[in-house]
Structures are given as C-alpha cells and as structure tokens.
Amino acid sequence: MRIERIEHIGIAVSNLDEAIRFYEKVLNLTCYSIEEVADQKVRTAFFKIGETKIELLESTDPEGPIGKFIEKKGEGIHHIAYQVDDIEQALAETEAKGVRLIDKSPRKGAEGLSIGFLHPKNTAGVLTEFCSNK
Ligand code: ZN
C-alpha cells in the first residue's frame, strides 16, 4: 500500500449552508460542489486547498453516521481521507495487519471516488478513510 496524499479532511457540521458561509466569507474559499450521498445519509460540500480538500458533512438522517457523531461529540473533524494507489489492496493489507475495517470492500463515495473506512478503535481515535479514483 502506498499513501499518495491527504485527499480530504471530513468535518461534521450541523448546518451545511451556515458552515459554507464561514468557509466562503471568512476563509475566502470557494465551494465548488454540493452533493448528496444517499448511501452515507449526508449532504456534502467541497472546498479545494492546494492538493487537499475540505469536505463538510451534514446529516440528512439523525440515525445516519454523521447524525450520530454530532449527537455524541458535536460538530468537528470527523475523518481524514488518504488517497491510496490501490484501495482494494490497501484495505486487504490493513486488515491483514490486524486492523478492523468498517468497509471490507470499497464502496462509492462523493465525487465518484471508491472509499473504505477503517475502524477508529484501531487507528488512535481518528476515523480513517482510504480513497482512490480508480
Ligand atoms: Zn470522506
């Protein structure tokens, strides 16, 4: 497995439009995409900063992963996504090293990426996502 870069940082927000205003009006970034990912019960907004993106995540269902996260921990950094060269191989290799996976095989995330999450119990508390555009 080879990690190529931090693809994005996922931030859980309770109000996407309000959060977008902060990133646009205060940080002078431009939201270039808003997308609903039904599979994850979220609405996402993306900002590009160099090679990396900020992904804001608003829950569309209180029972979804972001809804539960915000109820437990409040708004804040939710996950870090690493771009890997080969996601199937990265997930298999990680599992073989004894790390619990949330996704045993890649699924479809925002922006058409293949994504897979590792379990935060085995990643020093940081929810870790692998993603690949292949
Ligand atoms: Zn993500």
Side-chain angles (χ1 to χ4, degrees):
M1 163 176 66
R2 194 165 59 85
I3 289 181
E4 296 170 330
R5 64 183 169 118
I6 293 178
E7 214 280 337
H8 63 270
I9 296 170
I11 299 175
V13 302
S14 41
N15 182 316
L16 192 65
D17 297 330
E18 234 170 66
I20 288 172
R21 271 198 294 280
F22 168 75
Y23 283 85
E24 290 199 322
K25 304 274 185 267
V26 180
L27 300 188
N28 291 336
L29 297 170
T30 304
C31 174
Y32 68 89
S33 164
I34 294 177
E35 188 183 338
E36 185 162 341
V37 184
D39 191 43
Q40 291 176 72
K41 302 184 165 83
V42 289
R43 213 156 63 93
T44 64
F46 282 93
F47 302 85
K48 213 168 256 169
I49 302 160
E51 284 268 281
T52 300
K53 299 163 195 160
I54 296 290
E55 173 187 35
L56 302 181
L57 302 140
E58 175 195 63
S59 184
T60 55
D61 178 344
E63 290 305 306
I66 296 299
K68 285 187 185 156
F69 176 88
I70 287 182
E71 190 183 312
K72 229 166 103 187
K73 298 190 173 173
E75 292 182 295
I77 292 182
H78 177 258
H79 65 272
I80 295 187
Y82 297 104
Q83 181 177 302
V84 295
D85 53 347
D86 180 336
I87 188 163
E88 304 236 8
Q89 192 259 336
L91 289 171
E93 182 182 326
T94 304
E95 189 175 38
K97 287 176 178 168
V99 172
R100 230 167 104 196
L101 305 180
I102 292 177
D103 300 300
K104 292 207 180 250
S105 52
R107 58 189 157 108
K108 208 170 169 62
E111 301 200 299
L113 296 177
S114 296
I115 66 165
F117 282 94
L118 314 186
H119 199 283
K121 281 246 150 57
N122 300 129
T123 56
V126 178
L127 181 59
T128 301
E129 174 184 348
F130 289 156
C131 61
S132 166
N133 45 20
K134 277 171 243 160

